[in-house]
Short mmCIF file of all heavy atoms in Angstrom, two decimals:
data_model
loop_
_atom_site.label_atom_id
_atom_site.label_comp_id
_atom_site.label_asym_id
_atom_site.label_seq_id
_atom_site.Cartn_x
_atom_site.Cartn_y
_atom_site.Cartn_z
N ALA A 375 179.55 117.30 139.88
CA ALA A 375 178.55 118.28 139.46
C ALA A 375 177.77 118.75 140.66
O ALA A 375 177.70 118.07 141.69
CB ALA A 375 177.61 117.68 138.43
N ASP A 376 177.19 119.94 140.54
CA ASP A 376 176.30 120.48 141.56
C ASP A 376 174.88 120.40 141.03
O ASP A 376 174.62 120.69 139.87
CB ASP A 376 176.65 121.94 141.87
CG ASP A 376 177.99 122.07 142.58
OD1 ASP A 376 178.41 121.08 143.21
OD2 ASP A 376 178.60 123.14 142.50
N VAL A 377 173.95 120.00 141.91
CA VAL A 377 172.56 119.78 141.53
C VAL A 377 171.67 120.52 142.51
O VAL A 377 171.88 120.44 143.72
CB VAL A 377 172.22 118.27 141.54
CG1 VAL A 377 170.77 118.04 141.20
CG2 VAL A 377 173.12 117.51 140.61
N VAL A 378 170.67 121.23 142.00
CA VAL A 378 169.65 121.86 142.84
C VAL A 378 168.31 121.30 142.41
O VAL A 378 167.97 121.31 141.23
CB VAL A 378 169.65 123.40 142.70
CG1 VAL A 378 168.55 124.01 143.53
CG2 VAL A 378 171.00 123.98 143.11
N ILE A 379 167.55 120.81 143.38
CA ILE A 379 166.25 120.23 143.09
C ILE A 379 165.16 121.14 143.64
O ILE A 379 165.16 121.49 144.82
CB ILE A 379 166.13 118.83 143.72
CG1 ILE A 379 167.21 117.91 143.16
CG2 ILE A 379 164.75 118.24 143.47
CD1 ILE A 379 167.24 116.53 143.77
N ASN A 380 164.24 121.53 142.75
CA ASN A 380 163.09 122.34 143.13
C ASN A 380 161.83 121.48 142.99
O ASN A 380 161.55 120.99 141.90
CB ASN A 380 162.94 123.55 142.20
CG ASN A 380 164.00 124.57 142.41
OD1 ASN A 380 164.79 124.49 143.34
ND2 ASN A 380 164.05 125.54 141.53
N PRO A 381 161.07 121.31 144.06
CA PRO A 381 159.85 120.52 143.95
C PRO A 381 158.71 121.34 143.36
O PRO A 381 158.75 122.57 143.34
CB PRO A 381 159.54 120.13 145.39
CG PRO A 381 160.11 121.26 146.19
CD PRO A 381 161.34 121.71 145.44
N LYS A 382 157.72 120.64 142.87
CA LYS A 382 156.47 121.26 142.44
C LYS A 382 155.42 120.94 143.48
O LYS A 382 155.60 120.05 144.31
CB LYS A 382 156.06 120.74 141.06
CG LYS A 382 157.07 121.08 139.98
CD LYS A 382 156.67 120.50 138.65
CE LYS A 382 157.74 120.79 137.62
NZ LYS A 382 157.49 120.12 136.35
N LYS A 383 154.30 121.62 143.44
CA LYS A 383 153.24 121.42 144.43
C LYS A 383 152.74 119.97 144.45
O LYS A 383 152.35 119.45 145.48
CB LYS A 383 152.08 122.38 144.12
CG LYS A 383 151.00 122.42 145.17
CD LYS A 383 151.46 123.15 146.39
CE LYS A 383 150.27 123.40 147.31
NZ LYS A 383 150.67 124.03 148.55
N SER A 384 152.81 119.31 143.31
CA SER A 384 152.32 117.93 143.21
C SER A 384 153.18 116.94 143.99
O SER A 384 152.78 115.79 144.16
CB SER A 384 152.25 117.50 141.74
OG SER A 384 153.55 117.50 141.19
N LEU A 385 154.35 117.35 144.48
CA LEU A 385 155.23 116.45 145.21
C LEU A 385 154.56 115.90 146.47
O LEU A 385 154.79 114.74 146.84
CB LEU A 385 156.52 117.16 145.59
CG LEU A 385 157.52 116.33 146.38
CD1 LEU A 385 158.27 115.42 145.42
CD2 LEU A 385 158.48 117.18 147.14
N LEU A 386 153.72 116.70 147.12
CA LEU A 386 153.07 116.25 148.36
C LEU A 386 152.12 115.09 148.12
O LEU A 386 151.94 114.25 149.00
CB LEU A 386 152.33 117.40 149.02
CG LEU A 386 153.22 118.47 149.66
CD1 LEU A 386 152.38 119.63 150.14
CD2 LEU A 386 154.04 117.88 150.78
#
Side-chain angles (χ1 to χ4, degrees):
D376 292 336
V377 178
V378 177
I379 300 176
N380 290 351
K382 297 178 183 173
K383 188 73 169 177
S384 63
L385 180 79
L386 288 174

